[in-house]
Structures are given as C-alpha cells and as structure tokens.
Amino acid sequence: MRPLLHAVLGSFLLLAALPARADALRGDLDLRGTWYVLVHYKDSATNNPDFERWLDRIWVLEESGSRLKWIDYPIVVFGDDSGRFERSGGQYARILEFWEPSPKQLQQIQSGLEVNPRGSKTKTVRGSASEGWRSRSAIGGFSANTLTYTETWIIEGDGGLPVFRIEDSLGGARAESLDGVTEYRTTEILPGGDELRGTFNRDGTRIGTFRILRAGAVGDVQGSRSQEQMRRKWEIEGMDGVLGTAMVGVSAEQVKADSEAVRAQVEKNIDASMRDRGLDLVRYQGGVDDVVDQIMAELKRGTSPEDVEAMVRQGKIAPRSMRRRR
C-alpha cells in the first residue's frame, strides 16, 4: 500500500503545481484596436519611494486570423503637453505627481495621437478569448556561455477580466537568470468597454494603478515641432532602461580571449538599444563611454558577465550623472 500511497500523493502534488488555466475573457469585450495606456505608480527601489510617478504608451491590437498582433509604442506625442512636464534648472522635467489628461488632451487621445516607431516592439500572440493569448518563446541555438534576452507577452482572463503580462528573462545555460514581470491586471471595465482600470506591478517595486482608454488611430510623428517633443521626452527620461541588456552576446571565454572584442560588443549593445529608443548618441556619448569603462573595469577584476549585468540592472553601474536618481 505504501508505494501506491506515494504514487497517489505524487500525482496530487504534480497537479497542484501545474499553473491554473486562464479564465475566458468577457464575451462583450473587444480588445482589437488602439489603446492609450496611462500608469500611476511609486517606485520602492529609488531613493524617493514616495514620489508620485507616471508613464504612458500606446498599444495597438490587430487581428490576424486566429492571432493578434500586439504593437507597443513607448513614445507618445501630444500636441498640448501642458501639465505633463515642467521647466526645472533650465531643462524640462517630468512632473512628480499623478498626471491626468485634460479635456483637451482627452480629445487628442480620442482623435489619435502621434507616435514614433523607433523604440516600438511588436509581438504576435496566439490563442483565443477562451484560452488567452501568448507569444512564442525565443528559439534556442545560442552558446551555453552566452547571455540571451527574451520577452513573452501574454493576455489572459481572470474572472473574465483581461490581464496583460510581459515576462522578460536575461540569462544563459550556465548563468542564473534575471527575470522580470510587468503586469496590468484589470479590475474594472467601464460601461461601453472603452476604458479598463486596474493594478500595475513591475517586479514588486513599481506598484500602482492604470487606465487603458480606447483611442483613435495613431500616426507617425510629423513635423519639426513633434520631433522636438519626442526628443525632449527621451531626454527627460534619460538613459534609464537603456543599459539593461549591455552584456548580451558576451561570455566569460570571450572576456579572457579578447577584451577589445568584448568592449566593441558592449558598445554595440548599448548603441543599438539607444537607437531603438530614439536617443541622441552624440549627446549621451560621454555617459556611454563612462558606463563601458566601468563594465570593462569590473570584467578586468574578474567579475563575471552575469554579475556585471546584475550590477547594471541594479544601477550600481550607470553614468555618474544619473546616480543621484538611484
């Protein structure tokens, strides 16, 4: 009887460990279209955890057969930027309070905002409203000694309400993974289905609430004024988030064999990430050189690429001009 008991108990524990199947989404909710996403949050990982912070972006969900194409635009341009930024010390800065769009800005959202395609990301998610959608994981084939970065985008139901989740992972076969999760969990759908509200959580440190509003079709940034607004937005946000994949493609063997090639790879990673985000490479070149020097110094001391990547993510390696923000 004892072997049978163990078998039954083992089967029960295995079933308990399996992830719960996602609930079906509400049948009257149509996620297709363009959405404006506004997040209010506080960041416990900063020196000022009580500061009110906000971010916004545009999501576009397009039907493609049984799949959805999910496009994320992190650069949003308003014709009227009042209340979003303020001048401080001769420079524009994002206001440190929970910003809400004015009636005029709401009209701009409804009529369609401008976005910059640089920095945007697109994933095809497969599934259905009854089972949820998920993007495919990255295909393998990389060296066991090389760091790789992957993202999985998920839409699933919780009691019929949508949960949007982006899971990212940086690691390799011989390295401990650095995993992160950004979750938008809907708790309320307003009548008409054109506004979703809920809770926002990024890695348990950035915690707050969100509003997702149905928006008009977006267009690419046009004209010098809009380009200036786009540039100013990224200069306000600085280089945070740009350096998080600096060590992709770098292995311990490469560090020992050819330090110059490693330096070139690190510079290439950072430059590519900055270009994706529309940042001015010339303007930030001093900061990039500073970071690369710190990375190479750590590698020379014998710090592993994985530990260096962790230092970058924790803000221990960053442009000296930014360290006051950590």
Side-chain angles (χ1 to χ4, degrees):
M1 292 295 291
R2 186 177 299 274
L4 178 60
L5 177 61
H6 283 315
V8 171
L9 180 59
S11 299
F12 174 77
L13 293 175
L14 177 61
L15 289 172
L18 291 175
R21 180 173 177 174
D23 294 336
L25 293 175
R26 276 178 36 174
D28 60 343
L29 177 63
D30 186 0
L31 293 178
R32 295 171 299 177
T34 301
W35 299 87
Y36 172 74
V37 183
L38 175 62
V39 176
H40 292 168
Y41 70 96
K42 294 183 178 181
D43 191 343
S44 63
T46 66
N47 292 331
N48 300 290
D50 294 327
F51 279 6
E52 295 181 346
R53 306 171 190 272
W54 60 271
L55 61 85
D56 61 356
R57 59 206 318 116
I58 289 287
W59 287 347
V60 178
L61 293 166
E62 300 176 347
E63 189 174 31
S64 178
S66 61
R67 306 171 184 176
L68 286 176
K69 184 168 71 171
W70 183 356
I71 310 173
D72 174 46
Y73 294 101
I75 306 177
V76 183
V77 178
F78 280 80
D80 174 16
D81 244 350
S82 59
R84 292 162 58 81
F85 307 110
E86 61 185 3
R87 186 176 292 277
S88 175
Q91 295 184 344
Y92 280 99
R94 179 186 292 270
I95 62 168
L96 287 175
E97 62 183 52
F98 292 155
W99 171 80
E100 286 283 353
S102 67
K104 182 178 179 181
Q105 289 163 335
L106 281 173
Q107 290 179 358
Q108 293 178 40
I109 293 171
Q110 293 167 359
S111 61
L113 295 169
E114 291 182 339
V115 295
N116 192 310
R118 287 189 296 176
S120 66
K121 295 182 179 181
T122 302
K123 289 278 190 179
T124 298
V125 291
R126 296 166 171 80
S128 65
S130 61
E131 298 182 352
W133 289 271
R134 174 184 291 265
S135 65
R136 284 185 175 177
S137 302
I139 300 174
F142 296 99
S143 167
N145 299 317
T146 301
L147 292 175
T148 58
Y149 178 76
T150 60
E151 286 187 4
T152 303
W153 296 13
I154 301 165
I155 304 174
E156 60 187 13
D158 182 5
L161 301 176
V163 178
F164 306 88
R165 184 180 297 111
I166 297 176
E167 301 175 351
D168 55 80
S169 178
L170 179 70
R174 298 185 180 179
E176 182 178 352
S177 294
L178 296 172
D179 300 321
V181 178
T182 303
E183 181 183 86
Y184 303 77
R185 181 174 292 273
T186 304
T187 58
E188 179 184 10
I189 301 176
L190 269 60
D194 290 337
E195 180 173 348
L196 284 61
R197 297 181 179 180
T199 59
F200 171 82
N201 190 325
R202 168 64 186 178
D203 294 342
T205 58
R206 296 185 179 187
I207 297 176
T209 61
F210 72 81
R211 295 173 64 197
I212 300 180
L213 310 175
R214 193 174 292 279
V218 297
D220 289 351
V221 174
Q222 301 291 330
S224 58
R225 179 183 177 188
S226 294
Q227 290 287 353
E228 171 62 18
Q229 290 175 329
M230 179 274 298
R231 179 194 62 78
R232 188 180 70 190
K233 176 181 174 68
W234 281 110
E235 289 185 356
I236 289 166
E237 295 183 354
M239 294 175 64
D240 276 335
V242 173
L243 308 176
T245 56
M247 303 302 292
V248 169
V250 175
S251 66
E253 288 78 3
Q254 290 172 318
V255 172
K256 295 177 182 178
D258 192 344
S259 61
E260 288 304 314
V262 169
R263 185 182 189 95
Q265 181 64 46
V266 171
E267 291 176 343
K268 178 181 177 182
N269 290 339
I270 295 175
D271 285 354
S273 187
M274 291 180 69
R275 290 181 188 278
D276 285 346
R277 290 159 173 79
L279 283 168
D280 186 341
L281 297 177
V282 175
R283 179 181 178 87
Y284 290 109
Q285 191 59 56
V288 171
D289 292 341
D290 182 9
V291 167
V292 174
D293 287 343
Q294 293 176 57
I295 289 175
M296 296 308 297
E298 286 296 332
L299 292 173
K300 187 175 181 180
R301 292 188 188 100
T303 307
S304 69
E306 298 79 23
D307 288 342
V308 169
E309 190 70 62
M311 293 175 70
V312 172
R313 288 211 166 189
Q314 295 163 5
K316 295 178 181 178
I317 293 179
R320 290 178 174 83
S321 61
M322 284 178 54
R323 289 182 180 175
R324 67 181 184 275
R325 300 173 58 191
R326 300 289 176 182

